[in-house]
Amino acid sequence: MRSVVHSVCFALVVAGLLSAQSPYVSVIGTVEKIDTAGNVLTVKPDKGDSTSPVKFDERTTIAVIPAGETDVKKATPGAPKDISVGDKVVARVLTADPTGKPARTIYVTKSADLAKLRERTQEEWKSAVNGLVTAIEPGKIKINSKLPGSPVAKEIELTTSSHTDYERYNPENGKYEASDLAAVKVGDQLRVLGQKNADSTEIKAENIGTGSFKTLGVVVKTIDPATHQITGTETGSKTPITVALRADTELKKFTDVAAMMVARQLNPTYQQAGGGRGRGGFGGGDRGGAAPGAGGPPAEGGAPGGGAPGGGRMGGGRGRGGMDVGKIIEQQPAIQLTELKPGDPIIVLGANTKDPGRMVAITLVAGVEPILRAAPSNGADPLAGSWNMGGGGGGDQ
């Protein structure tokens, strides 16, 4: 089974190249510009913001590696004409003079091949099993998952080995990155590909994607468009929270009709009255609200972290009564950050960061007052686990 993060292939290639002692260093990234007259590639490194010029001449060896391949012996001879904008490259340049002399070798993977590999990978991940991690033991991970056709969640045991590939969602860039078993924590959302037994309660894990996500109700305190940050108060725990937005964060607003539909799905007895005020306040109910950061197990179709290019998106999670909250949210009108104002209630799905008082938003939804009032006992997770990450595992996003 191929890895779900295609840049991992390049990392493995580089690891092999670096194993030999040499005065060369590798430039790894995406081609942004080609100067055919000057024999220079402008490369946007996978890590870092600044671009790197990579020179080449008639002595530079150019080799084309198929997408997903990690063995440089499988590369075929190429030429400068085989390099296009958008291709991934690994260029071997002199450490002492990285921009002054031509590269010794340039390995190329064509962007079109990478796109096809992403499509195949996404199809594979549609058959994955997902759930919340409940236990981690030597060689085993246990998750709680609601399998298709099952009315209740059940425990599934994953058997891991040295051949299991791990990836983990990085909230700062919205990508899945190469990881390991040590990064997996109890409470993570997990998605797995592998060999299943007859009832899918045991899986020999081949690919595992994980992430630490949460859904919060938040009352906005300040909005800073310059830094793309919102400060506010969690509706469940009443603690301060900073919500950071990336360029690809999805901002939506419920219509009045949609908000009431979701509110009544969560609480069939809810009736909006008194100028928009239903029963109870925002969060903090006394009927056993969820602990901060907690949520129900991903519903059928939910998954950690949007594998489609451009970052995670909501979808697939069905709420009480079978309503697909993710699809309803997708259908709501988009808004701009500047349309929010202090005092607005919002619901945010995002990824946890090292700072417990900060999260990075994947999707933010306004117009949620009826929902927060309808189900105050849901506390930290106002949608009671019915709103989950959609899409496949990783991807070269």
Side-chain angles (χ1 to χ4, degrees):
M1 187 71 65
R2 67 177 63 88
S3 171
V4 299
V5 174
H6 309 112
S7 58
V8 172
C9 300
F10 266 68
L12 292 173
V13 169
V14 173
L17 294 171
L18 293 179
S19 63
Q21 297 296 322
S22 76
Y24 291 88
V25 67
S26 295
V27 176
I28 312 165
T30 304
V31 177
E32 287 195 339
K33 183 180 179 181
I34 303 173
D35 179 358
T36 54
N39 288 350
V40 178
L41 305 177
T42 300
V43 177
K44 176 64 170 61
D46 287 348
K47 295 183 178 180
D49 297 323
S50 59
T51 57
S52 297
V54 175
K55 295 182 179 181
F56 58 91
D57 61 16
E58 68 280 358
R59 293 173 296 179
T60 301
T61 298
I62 296 175
V64 180
I65 299 180
E69 183 57 65
T70 61
D71 185 356
V72 295
K73 294 180 181 179
K74 300 292 180 65
T76 57
K81 63 180 179 61
D82 297 320
I83 304 176
S84 305
V85 171
D87 291 349
K88 299 283 287 187
V89 297
V90 176
R92 295 288 284 160
V93 298
L94 281 170
T95 304
D97 191 10
T99 63
K101 293 187 179 297
R104 176 186 178 184
T105 306
I106 300 177
Y107 293 93
V108 183
T109 296
K110 302 298 295 177
S111 60
D113 292 341
L114 286 169
K116 292 178 181 178
L117 179 58
R118 279 194 294 267
E119 292 177 4
R120 293 197 301 271
T121 301
Q122 290 301 310
E123 286 300 314
E124 287 180 354
W125 279 99
K126 289 180 181 179
S127 65
V129 172
N130 65 90
L132 289 184
V133 177
T134 58
I136 303 170
E137 304 171 2
K140 293 182 181 179
I141 300 174
K142 294 182 180 180
I143 63 173
N144 196 37
S145 176
K146 187 172 181 294
L147 298 172
S150 174
V152 296
K154 62 174 63 176
E155 184 178 80
I156 297 176
E157 185 174 277
L158 315 180
T159 302
T160 63
S161 71
S162 59
H163 299 294
T164 302
D165 288 329
Y166 296 89
E167 286 135 14
R168 190 164 182 84
Y169 184 79
N170 182 340
E172 304 303 335
N173 61 21
K175 296 181 180 181
Y176 276 79
E177 299 176 342
S179 186
D180 54 28
L181 176 60
V184 183
K185 308 298 181 185
V186 171
D188 283 350
Q189 285 197 35
L190 179 149
R191 195 163 172 84
V192 58
L193 288 173
Q195 299 179 21
K196 308 171 188 176
N197 66 352
D199 60 0
S200 296
T201 56
E202 296 180 5
I203 302 174
K204 293 181 179 178
E206 297 174 1
N207 295 92
I208 290 177
T210 60
S212 180
F213 305 98
K214 61 184 174 185
T215 307
L216 292 179
V218 176
V219 177
V220 175
K221 182 177 180 181
T222 66
I223 305 107
D224 188 344
T227 61
H228 303 285
Q229 289 197 146
I230 295 171
T231 65
T233 304
E234 294 184 25
T235 57
S237 65
K238 307 300 182 183
T239 58
I241 184 73
T242 297
V243 180
L245 283 71
R246 296 197 312 264
D248 62 348
T249 296
E250 188 174 50
L251 281 74
K252 296 278 191 173
K253 184 174 182 178
F254 274 118
T255 63
D256 292 343
V257 172
M260 281 300 298
M261 181 169 59
V262 174
R264 288 173 177 164
Q265 185 76 21
L266 294 170
N267 179 2
T269 65
Y270 174 74
Q271 295 293 328
Q272 187 160 341
R277 296 183 64 85
R279 297 184 295 114
F282 294 143
D286 59 359
R287 292 178 292 166
E300 179 180 341
R313 288 293 177 262
M314 308 312 304
R318 293 188 179 274
R320 297 168 185 173
M323 179 179 60
D324 193 327
V325 179
K327 287 187 177 179
I328 293 174
I329 291 170
E330 288 178 359
Q331 296 166 358
Q332 302 311 299
I335 60 171
Q336 300 296 317
L337 180 60
T338 52
E339 296 180 52
L340 296 178
K341 61 183 183 298
D344 282 350
I346 58 176
I347 292 176
V348 183
L349 182 135
N352 293 311
T353 67
K354 294 180 180 179
D355 179 356
R358 178 179 178 271
M359 68 184 295
V360 179
I362 297 167
T363 301
L364 179 155
V365 186
V368 298
E369 183 172 352
I371 298 169
L372 295 176
R373 293 193 182 282
S377 65
N378 288 344
D381 184 356
L383 291 173
S386 62
W387 186 18
N388 297 295
M389 296 292 294
D396 194 18
Q397 300 172 36

